[in-house]
Amino acid sequence: MTNTPNIPDTHPIIEVQALIKAFGLMPVLRGINLEIPRGQCVALLGPNGSGKSTLLRLLTGLSKPTAGIVKIGGWELPHEGMAVRAQIGMVSHKPLLYGDLTAYENLRFFAGLYDLDGEAMDTRIHALLDQVGLKKRRNDLARNFSRGMQQRLSIARALLHDPDVLIFDEPYTGLDQQAGATLDTLLTTARDGGRTIVMATHQLDRAARLSDRAIILSRGKIAYDGITAGLDPIQLARDYAEVTGEVVAR
């Protein structure tokens, strides 16, 4: 269960103001200002080293800003981190699962970390395993799963506490075509369910097709911010090349 937001639904659920992140003398993010309304799916694009993963780590409270403000649901990081973490589910290119636990045991373990227990949670775990297509494999060890199956279990883990915000950091890395299509469906279901989604990806075709909005980072700044409705992936690729100086395969 998520905490009750202390801001109205009309207010952006994600607010970033004058955000700076530096490692030593090396600046990675250079004054990011960003607002994301509830229920919007945002594709975060940019070359390697542009600051995508750093921004996601700041949004999830895994890293502290050098300067600036980060608020999720009205709560400010890092000093209100517990309230923020209750609202966020994260899926990265690393599954973050325990290989010697079964699919069911993994979800029970993570449910315990959120202080979620009881018959209702057990019912939810089985429902999530069914939703991600792992109901018949619930008693199999996670280390025996394919890359795509592990990613599906990671999504179930991220949804356990019914978060308002889902953060995806390069979730398609290493997935074959079928597993990628399955992830597309799960992401679309989450978006249609009203969750706010921020997804870092290099795949411009998916960014144009699955998101409501595309943001391109370049050299630690927002170089492009546009609505994707009706946007041709070819045009997005052209815009990407123009603002980053890099040509990518769609």
Side-chain angles (χ1 to χ4, degrees), residues 126 129-130 132-139:
H126 285 287
L129 287 170
D130 189 27
V132 300
L134 293 175
K135 184 177 182 179
K136 293 182 179 180
R137 302 293 300 271
R138 63 185 179 276
N139 294 320

Side-chain angles (χ1 to χ4, degrees), residues 51-74:
K52 300 188 304 297
S53 292
T54 298
L55 178 56
L56 295 188
R57 288 180 62 83
L58 290 166
L59 293 180
T60 55
L62 295 175
S63 183
K64 295 181 179 180
T66 303
I69 295 173
V70 178
K71 291 183 179 181
I72 308 292

Side-chain angles (χ1 to χ4, degrees), residues 35-241:
E35 291 187 350
I36 299 176
R38 293 180 181 275
Q40 189 172 73
C41 180
V42 177
L44 188 62
L45 310 171
N48 291 333
S50 61
K52 300 188 304 297
S53 292
T54 298
L55 178 56
L56 295 188
R57 288 180 62 83
L58 290 166
L59 293 180
T60 55
L62 295 175
S63 183
K64 295 181 179 180
T66 303
I69 295 173
V70 178
K71 291 183 179 181
I72 308 292
W75 287 282
E76 186 174 342
L77 288 166
H79 61 277
E80 295 178 302
M82 289 188 64
V84 169
R85 283 189 288 275
Q87 298 181 79
I88 289 179
M90 184 171 186
V91 178
S92 71
H93 56 281
K94 296 180 180 179
L96 304 177
L97 301 167
Y98 289 93
D100 290 330
L101 297 181
T102 66
Y104 173 82
E105 290 168 341
N106 264 281
L107 296 189
R108 286 296 305 179
F109 173 79
F110 285 104
L113 295 182
Y114 286 105
D115 291 326
L116 303 173
D117 207 347
E119 186 176 342
M121 179 46 56
D122 198 61
T123 299
R124 177 163 177 77
I125 288 174
H126 285 287
L128 284 170
L129 287 170
D130 189 27
Q131 181 181 343
V132 300
L134 293 175
K135 184 177 182 179
K136 293 182 179 180
R137 302 293 300 271
R138 63 185 179 276
N139 294 320
D140 291 354
L141 297 180
R143 60 180 164 84
N144 294 329
F145 285 176
S146 67
R147 163 75 178 143
M149 292 170 65
Q150 289 183 348
Q151 199 68 321
R152 281 186 273 156
L153 184 56
S154 294
I155 292 174
R157 168 186 53 74
L159 292 172
L160 259 179
H161 57 300
D162 196 21
D164 293 320
V165 179
L166 288 174
I167 304 291
F168 290 83
D169 189 5
E170 301 290 353
Y172 291 93
T173 301
L175 297 186
D176 60 26
Q177 187 173 358
Q178 181 178 357
T182 300
L183 182 54
D184 287 349
T185 301
L186 291 171
L187 192 149
T188 300
T189 299
R191 181 194 64 190
D192 293 346
R195 287 186 170 85
T196 305
I197 298 172
V198 182
M199 178 179 67
T201 181
H202 287 288
Q203 301 191 22
L204 301 189
D205 58 339
R206 281 192 161 99
R209 176 164 45 89
L210 299 174
S211 68
D212 305 304
R213 177 182 176 190
I215 293 173
I216 301 176
L217 292 182
S218 181
R219 299 175 179 87
K221 295 183 178 182
I222 295 178
Y224 174 101
D225 187 348
I227 301 300
T228 56
L231 181 63
D232 189 321
I234 295 176
Q235 183 58 53
L236 181 57
R238 289 171 179 161
D239 293 339
Y240 183 96

